[in-house]
Amino acid sequence: MLFEATERTYQLDLAQFSNVEYAMASIYESQGFSTIHHDYYLFHASAKTKYPENEQVLKDTIGGERLSALRDMCRALYPLDAGPGQRPEQPDLFVFRPGGEFFFSEVKRKKTGDYLRAPQMVGISLIKQFLSVTTELATVIDESEKEPLALRTYQWVWPAVQETGFHKVEI
C-alpha cells in the first residue's frame, strides 16, 4: 500500500475567511507553523519560478537533494505535456517550521462535496514515498453546520486508487 489516510475535521467560523485553505492556514499558524498556500512547485522545477522565496523555503526545509530526486522521478514518470488529470497534484498547503519540521495539507470543504481525486492521491503517495512525510486531509465544516459528518478513508494500492469507506462522526 502506497498510502492510506482518513480525513480529520476542523469546525471553524468560515465567514471570516475568503476560502477554506486560508482558514486551515490560520489554524496551522496558530500552532506555530508557517504556510505556503499553492504558491510553490513540488513535483517540477520552473526555470523562471514566480515564487523564488518559496522555492528557497522548499529547498531549505525539505533538502535540495531530496527535492531534486522527487522532481527527477516525476519528470520521468509524468512529462509536463501530459494531459489533464495525468500528472500528480500537489496539496493545497506546505506547512513548516524553521529547522526542518514540515508536512502538507490537502483541504476539503465538506458542504460542497469536495473529495480527494486520483491525481491528488498520486501526489500524496509520492510525497509519502519520496519525502517520508504525511499529508493531512483536513476537512473543514462551518460552525453553523450541525448534521453528522461521514469521514472518508482513502487508500492507494498500485495500480488502483480507491476510496475505502465511510464512518459517521457526530458534531
Side-chain angles (χ1 to χ4, degrees):
M1 177 180 344
L2 295 177
F3 97 94
E4 182 175 33
T6 300
E7 296 172 311
R8 180 173 177 201
T9 60
Y10 292 87
Q11 198 161 14
L12 303 168
D13 177 8
L14 294 178
Q16 59 184 317
F17 299 100
S18 59
N19 65 46
V20 293
E21 288 91 1
Y22 289 126
M24 281 309 304
S26 75
I27 294 291
Y28 297 131
E29 289 166 5
S30 74
Q31 297 170 353
F33 288 97
S34 295
T35 61
I36 299 175
H37 175 244
H38 285 294
D39 296 341
Y40 67 98
Y41 300 109
L42 184 60
F43 298 123
H44 69 279
S46 176
K48 291 184 176 183
T49 181
K50 296 189 295 186
Y51 316 109
E53 302 86 13
N54 294 347
E55 176 69 11
Q56 193 59 51
V57 168
L58 284 177
K59 287 178 181 176
D60 291 346
T61 307
I62 295 172
E65 285 185 28
R66 289 172 69 196
L67 187 58
S68 290
L70 173 65
R71 288 174 172 170
D72 289 346
M73 191 277 315
C74 286
R75 190 172 27 259
L77 292 176
Y78 306 99
L80 285 174
D81 59 355
Q86 301 302 310
R87 297 177 38 92
E89 292 182 17
Q90 68 187 26
D92 297 313
L93 299 172
F94 177 59
V95 185
F96 64 97
R97 283 190 177 126
E101 182 182 357
F102 70 97
F103 64 95
F104 297 87
S105 179
E106 179 60 37
V107 183
K108 300 298 180 191
R109 173 73 167 103
K110 193 62 170 191
K111 187 173 185 175
T112 61
D114 200 4
Y115 65 94
L116 201 59
R117 294 174 293 102
Q120 294 170 321
M121 288 188 225
V122 172
I124 290 168
S125 67
L126 290 170
I127 290 167
K128 176 70 174 158
Q129 295 302 310
F130 280 84
L131 302 179
S132 300
V133 297
T134 60
T135 298
E136 179 175 78
L137 303 178
T139 300
V140 178
I141 56 177
D142 192 85
E143 289 178 343
S144 64
E145 297 168 18
K146 301 294 182 196
E147 60 191 62
L149 181 66
L151 295 180
R152 292 172 286 226
T153 298
Y154 297 92
Q155 182 177 76
W156 186 36
V157 180
W158 186 263
V161 178
Q162 60 193 6
E163 187 174 303
T164 60
F166 292 89
H167 64 277
K168 288 212 180 245
V169 174
E170 297 294 328
I171 297 173

